[in-house]
Amino acid sequence: MADGKVYRASTFAPVNIAVIKYWGKRDTKLNLPTNSSLSVTLSQDDLRTHTTASCSTSFTSDTLTLNGQPQDISTPRTQACLRELRQLRKHLESKDTSLPQLASLSLKIVSENNFPTAAGLASSAAGFAALVRSIANLYALPASPTELSRIARQGSGSACRSLFGGYVGWNHGSAADGSDSVAYEVAPAEHWPEMRAVILVASAEKKDVSSTAGMQATVGTSALFKARAETIVPQRMKEMEDAIRGKDFEKFASLTTRDSNSFHATCLDTDPPIFYMNDTSRAAVRVCQAINETAGRTVCAYTFDAGPNAVVYYLAADEAVVAGTFRGILGEKTGWEGSRGEKVEKAGQVPENIAGSVDTLQKGISRVILTGVGDGPRKTEEHLC
Amino acid sequence: MADGKVYRASTFAPVNIAVIKYWGKRDTKLNLPTNSSLSVTLSQDDLRTHTTASCSTSFTSDTLTLNGQPQDISTPRTQACLRELRQLRKHLESKDTSLPQLASLSLKIVSENNFPTAAGLASSAAGFAALVRSIANLYALPASPTELSRIARQGSGSACRSLFGGYVGWNHGSAADGSDSVAYEVAPAEHWPEMRAVILVASAEKKDVSSTAGMQATVGTSALFKARAETIVPQRMKEMEDAIRGKDFEKFASLTTRDSNSFHATCLDTDPPIFYMNDTSRAAVRVCQAINETAGRTVCAYTFDAGPNAVVYYLAADEAVVAGTFRGILGEKTGWEGSRGEKVEKAGQVPENIAGSVDTLQKGISRVILTGVGDGPRKTEEHLC
């Protein structure tokens, strides 16, 4: 162990975008949510964090680097993850003394996102999922994705859902120690592989309020929030799981848009109010409505996280009418030039009566990202250093 | 009665702006609301409808004119008001046969607003209050403002509150026939005459959804609405009446802004979502917050009706810091040139860190209106014809 040998393991981890939103904590230290949530894991071909965890006697302290920049590793959230993972490794080492004593070595964690961190794409979910998964690999932990989700949750709540691919629930749980507040697979990506998403990235604008601060302000001041957390979301969770199991896009779409609007409604009902959606976001809503009206059925569903970006879900069979319409409107923006984007043809007709919204979108959207449902973290031998 | 004599009576009626919002009907025919509401009646020196009601054997049919344009008088709502008023007159005539038989004569109603109808200033409230009050005067009805409010409510819900001056409640009532869904005086204008308002009129933009259609969509589809109507508003009504009776501006302001946000939250939670506030509205919110922060206490409160206009309430003693700041930002807009506006001096300092909001306001606001709490309908001998 004094030989300076470097132990190393790497992983890719995906981004997820919730369709039933996480907003509000019942325990801020453990990141225990007031309500359950459900997300779609997005393909790592398009959006991912790549992380290499290594340890060695030659390292003198724990370090964390993201996109080449040293990060503060001493935050309580990161420390909680490292502590839990080291405990599990120590337990292994105590049972099998032939194992190298990795738990006591300093960790070097190197991460890279393949998407703009500033784009407001919930990079912390992929980031903490990759951190936890890579260290679990390094430590050869037999922990299940469920057990790792419990750990990643302490880094960033929504990170717990990025330990799984496909359609992923996060149970709010009731235990005070958070032991039952874990993610679970509702259905793997292969169950409903046709799910696609086009992300409309709004021009950089400073966030109104961080989601960490915002959600607790909502819990503390919104009179409408209680009904959402206690009654509305539990009902929608069941309906959404049914929609996914039954591959019922119309139901999935209706629940997705209504839950996004409900979440932003509780933000607006916060005192002082929090506005994440802006006029650009509203223009995206209008265009989605117009696409559905023109199609004569529900072919797309929008959702907005704690920022103005729109994520528009649709099925592969409707790519021409959904992504095609957005390409017709936003064809000159970055994001269409990749192999996925080039396959999307501009839809011949942009829906009528939405000229104002088209104009607002063209002014307010800086780039698009084409993606779809994808699998969970992927182990890789490609190491970062 | 065959002499062609023209009987005539005229009134001015005020606009009111709710601080606890009316949104949702339990009976759409009778305009019975799902929840009580409370408003401030605004001064008729600044905003008013002037209406002359006349009747004569020489008139051949009922007619209605607004700002010189003939209006459809056959709408069920207008007809309901005329029918009720004629019934009351008939009752008088049946008890005293010496009275002229006015109830059977055709009515000519001529109205003028002294403010831009298109500005989205709830002109229907002043309009129906003036219509009902002028005909009640013409018919010499002994009806109280409360009784007239029951009639005006059938024309336009919020019109019932414009039958009173000062601070006015509207009881949602429980009777199926609406007999107890009437307005009442919480306090006259003289009780708290220092209340002022500056209205920031947003540049003309087509309304997202009419309030009549919008509120029923909310009732039918918003999962959050029930909590607002059944629990939140009843509690706030009591608190707001206390705040007004105690002339507690801080409490008044907090309830006003929170209730406006709650109302717009239920609009956003409607399926499809209704957006009345836009980026200009949000900029007004930001500026109000900055004004309060700079003052170190609550000196202003914003509220938004079914449109992007901001109504900012403040007390006369704080005119310099509230209206003065808005004059500093919007000094070149229409509305400051009147005698009220000229008294407002530009505040020396615009709060820091809101440059973006200042810019958005300057682009999005077309005019301002300075006003304050005022009295109820005023009888006048100035007749329109």
Side-chain angles (χ1 to χ4, degrees):
Chain A
M1 289 299 292
D3 57 358
K5 176 175 175 185
V6 176
Y7 298 84
R8 188 179 277 131
S10 295
T11 194
F12 295 116
V15 164
N16 71 75
I17 298 287
V19 289
I20 301 289
K21 300 294 189 191
Y22 158 48
W23 194 252
K25 304 179 194 201
R26 60 187 166 88
D27 183 314
T28 54
K29 190 162 163 282
L30 293 171
N31 280 342
L32 302 181
T34 49
N35 58 258
S36 298
S37 56
L38 200 151
S39 58
V40 178
T41 296
L42 299 182
S43 172
Q44 293 162 77
D45 296 342
D46 308 305
L47 298 164
R48 59 164 173 72
T49 297
H50 180 187
T51 297
T52 296
S54 47
C55 58
S56 166
T57 54
S58 64
F59 299 162
T60 53
S61 66
D62 293 342
T63 57
L64 173 61
T65 309
L66 173 62
N67 295 337
Q69 301 295 315
Q71 307 289 310
D72 181 6
I73 199 167
S74 71
T75 63
R77 293 170 164 212
T78 307
Q79 287 299 313
C81 293
L82 299 186
R83 191 168 51 243
E84 294 246 18
L85 292 161
R86 279 185 163 125
Q87 265 168 14
L88 292 175
R89 173 68 189 181
K90 258 184 202 148
H91 184 67
L92 285 188
E93 291 170 4
S94 70
K95 288 198 302 182
D96 180 353
T97 52
S98 73
L99 290 175
Q101 307 277 306
L102 303 186
S104 57
L105 301 182
S106 288
L107 282 161
K108 180 182 174 190
I109 302 154
V110 182
S111 273
E112 275 178 12
N113 293 335
N114 73 339
F115 54 89
T117 305
L121 285 166
S123 54
S124 66
F128 274 101
L131 179 140
V132 169
R133 185 71 261 184
S134 63
I135 298 175
N137 292 349
L138 173 70
Y139 288 171
L141 301 179
S144 67
T146 301
E147 190 165 359
L148 296 182
S149 79
R150 188 186 57 75
I151 298 174
R153 184 204 73 227
Q154 297 171 63
S156 170
S158 57
C160 74
R161 296 186 310 240
S162 277
L163 268 306
F164 290 87
Y167 303 85
V168 187
W170 171 16
N171 190 357
H172 66 88
S174 54
D177 68 354
S179 53
D180 57 352
S181 186
V182 295
Y184 59 97
E185 183 188 271
V186 174
E190 309 85 76
H191 166 72
W192 201 7
E194 300 85 358
M195 188 65 73
R196 296 285 179 277
V198 55
I199 305 175
L200 311 179
V201 181
S203 310
E205 197 178 313
K206 209 177 150 284
K207 240 191 202 183
D208 192 73
V209 182
S210 80
S211 49
T212 301
M215 62 173 75
Q216 288 324 95
T218 302
V219 172
T221 66
S222 165
L224 296 170
F225 179 72
K226 199 168 135 69
R228 169 172 168 77
E230 292 180 5
T231 311
I232 300 168
V233 167
Q235 174 65 25
R236 283 186 185 154
M237 281 295 291
K238 282 184 205 149
E239 291 174 7
M240 184 60 94
E241 294 193 14
D242 287 348
I244 289 166
R245 291 201 189 97
K247 298 196 267 188
D248 181 341
F249 186 79
E250 183 148 352
K251 195 169 171 185
F252 170 90
S254 169
L255 289 163
T256 295
T257 58
R258 284 190 290 135
D259 198 71
S260 174
N261 290 330
S262 163
F263 150 50
H264 290 280
T266 65
C267 290
L268 174 48
D269 189 51
T270 301
D271 187 36
I274 304 169
F275 301 100
Y276 289 124
M277 294 173 74
N278 61 16
D279 284 355
T280 302
S281 313
R282 275 196 295 284
V285 168
R286 284 280 166 277
V287 172
C288 285
Q289 290 171 336
I291 290 172
N292 286 336
E293 280 161 23
T294 303
R297 63 194 169 89
T298 304
V299 292
C300 64
Y302 56 83
T303 187
F304 296 83
D305 276 350
N309 296 344
V311 176
V312 180
Y313 284 113
Y314 61 95
L315 294 178
D318 295 317
E319 183 137 273
V321 289
V322 182
T325 299
F326 282 109
R327 187 160 194 197
I329 296 169
L330 301 166
E332 79 285 8
K333 307 289 179 183
T334 310
W336 301 106
E337 68 284 353
S339 59
R340 293 183 77 94
E342 279 170 9
K343 278 185 234 152
V344 174
E345 296 201 13
K346 286 185 192 185
Q349 53 168 153
V350 168
E352 286 169 23
N353 300 326
I354 54 161
S357 298
V358 165
D359 190 50
T360 303
L361 264 198
Q362 285 169 341
K363 282 182 190 145
I365 297 297
S366 61
R367 57 170 293 161
V368 302
I369 296 168
L370 279 168
T371 184
V373 65
D375 56 2
R378 296 175 189 166
K379 198 169 180 172
T380 174
E381 296 307 316
E382 235 181 282
H383 301 301
L384 300 169
C385 54
Chain B
M1 289 300 291
D3 58 357
K5 176 175 175 187
V6 176
Y7 297 84
R8 189 179 276 130
S10 295
T11 194
F12 295 116
V15 164
N16 72 75
I17 298 287
V19 289
I20 302 290
K21 300 294 189 190
Y22 158 47
W23 194 252
K25 303 180 193 199
R26 61 187 165 88
D27 183 313
T28 54
K29 190 161 163 280
L30 293 170
N31 281 343
L32 302 181
T34 49
N35 57 258
S36 298
S37 56
L38 201 152
S39 57
V40 178
T41 295
L42 300 182
S43 172
Q44 293 161 78
D45 295 342
D46 308 303
L47 298 165
R48 59 164 173 72
T49 297
H50 180 187
T51 296
T52 297
S54 47
C55 58
S56 166
T57 54
S58 64
F59 299 162
T60 53
S61 66
D62 293 343
T63 56
L64 174 61
T65 309
L66 173 61
N67 295 337
Q69 301 296 315
Q71 306 289 310
D72 181 6
I73 200 168
S74 72
T75 63
R77 294 171 163 212
T78 307
Q79 287 299 313
C81 294
L82 299 186
R83 190 169 52 243
E84 294 247 16
L85 291 160
R86 279 185 162 124
Q87 263 168 14
L88 292 175
R89 173 68 190 181
K90 259 184 203 147
H91 184 68
L92 285 188
E93 291 170 3
S94 71
K95 288 198 303 184
D96 181 352
T97 52
S98 73
L99 291 176
Q101 307 277 306
L102 303 187
S104 57
L105 300 183
S106 288
L107 282 161
K108 179 182 175 191
I109 302 155
V110 182
S111 272
E112 275 178 13
N113 293 336
N114 74 338
F115 54 90
T117 304
L121 284 167
S123 53
S124 66
F128 274 101
L131 178 142
V132 169
R133 184 72 260 182
S134 63
I135 298 174
N137 293 349
L138 173 70
Y139 289 170
L141 301 179
S144 65
T146 301
E147 190 165 358
L148 295 182
S149 79
R150 187 186 56 75
I151 298 173
R153 185 204 72 228
Q154 297 171 63
S156 170
S158 56
C160 73
R161 297 186 310 240
S162 278
L163 267 306
F164 290 87
Y167 304 84
V168 187
W170 171 16
N171 189 358
H172 65 89
S174 53
D177 68 355
S179 53
D180 57 353
S181 185
V182 295
Y184 59 97
E185 182 188 270
V186 174
E190 310 85 76
H191 166 72
W192 202 7
E194 299 86 358
M195 188 65 72
R196 296 285 180 277
V198 55
I199 304 175
L200 311 179
V201 181
S203 309
E205 196 178 313
K206 208 176 150 283
K207 239 190 204 184
D208 191 74
V209 182
S210 80
S211 50
T212 301
M215 62 173 75
Q216 288 323 94
T218 302
V219 171
T221 65
S222 165
L224 296 170
F225 180 71
K226 198 168 136 68
R228 169 172 169 78
E230 292 180 4
T231 311
I232 299 167
V233 168
Q235 174 65 24
R236 283 186 185 154
M237 281 295 292
K238 281 184 204 149
E239 292 174 7
M240 183 61 93
E241 293 193 14
D242 286 348
I244 290 166
R245 291 199 189 99
K247 299 196 266 187
D248 181 341
F249 186 79
E250 183 150 349
K251 194 169 171 182
F252 170 89
S254 169
L255 288 163
T256 295
T257 58
R258 284 191 288 135
D259 198 70
S260 174
N261 291 329
S262 164
F263 150 49
H264 290 280
T266 65
C267 290
L268 174 47
D269 190 50
T270 301
D271 186 35
I274 304 169
F275 300 100
Y276 290 124
M277 295 173 74
N278 61 17
D279 284 356
T280 302
S281 312
R282 277 198 293 284
V285 168
R286 286 279 166 275
V287 172
C288 285
Q289 290 172 335
I291 290 172
N292 287 335
E293 280 160 23
T294 303
R297 62 193 170 90
T298 303
V299 293
C300 63
Y302 55 83
T303 187
F304 296 83
D305 276 350
N309 296 344
V311 176
V312 181
Y313 285 112
Y314 61 94
L315 294 178
D318 295 317
E319 183 137 272
V321 288
V322 182
T325 298
F326 283 109
R327 186 158 196 198
I329 295 169
L330 301 167
E332 79 284 9
K333 307 289 178 183
T334 310
W336 301 105
E337 70 282 354
S339 58
R340 293 183 78 92
E342 279 170 11
K343 277 184 235 154
V344 175
E345 296 201 14
K346 286 184 193 186
Q349 52 168 152
V350 168
E352 286 169 23
N353 299 326
I354 53 161
S357 299
V358 165
D359 191 51
T360 303
L361 265 196
Q362 286 169 341
K363 282 182 189 146
I365 297 297
S366 61
R367 58 171 293 162
V368 302
I369 296 168
L370 278 166
T371 184
V373 64
D375 55 3
R378 295 174 188 167
K379 198 170 181 172
T380 175
E381 296 306 317
E382 235 181 282
H383 300 300
L384 300 170
C385 54

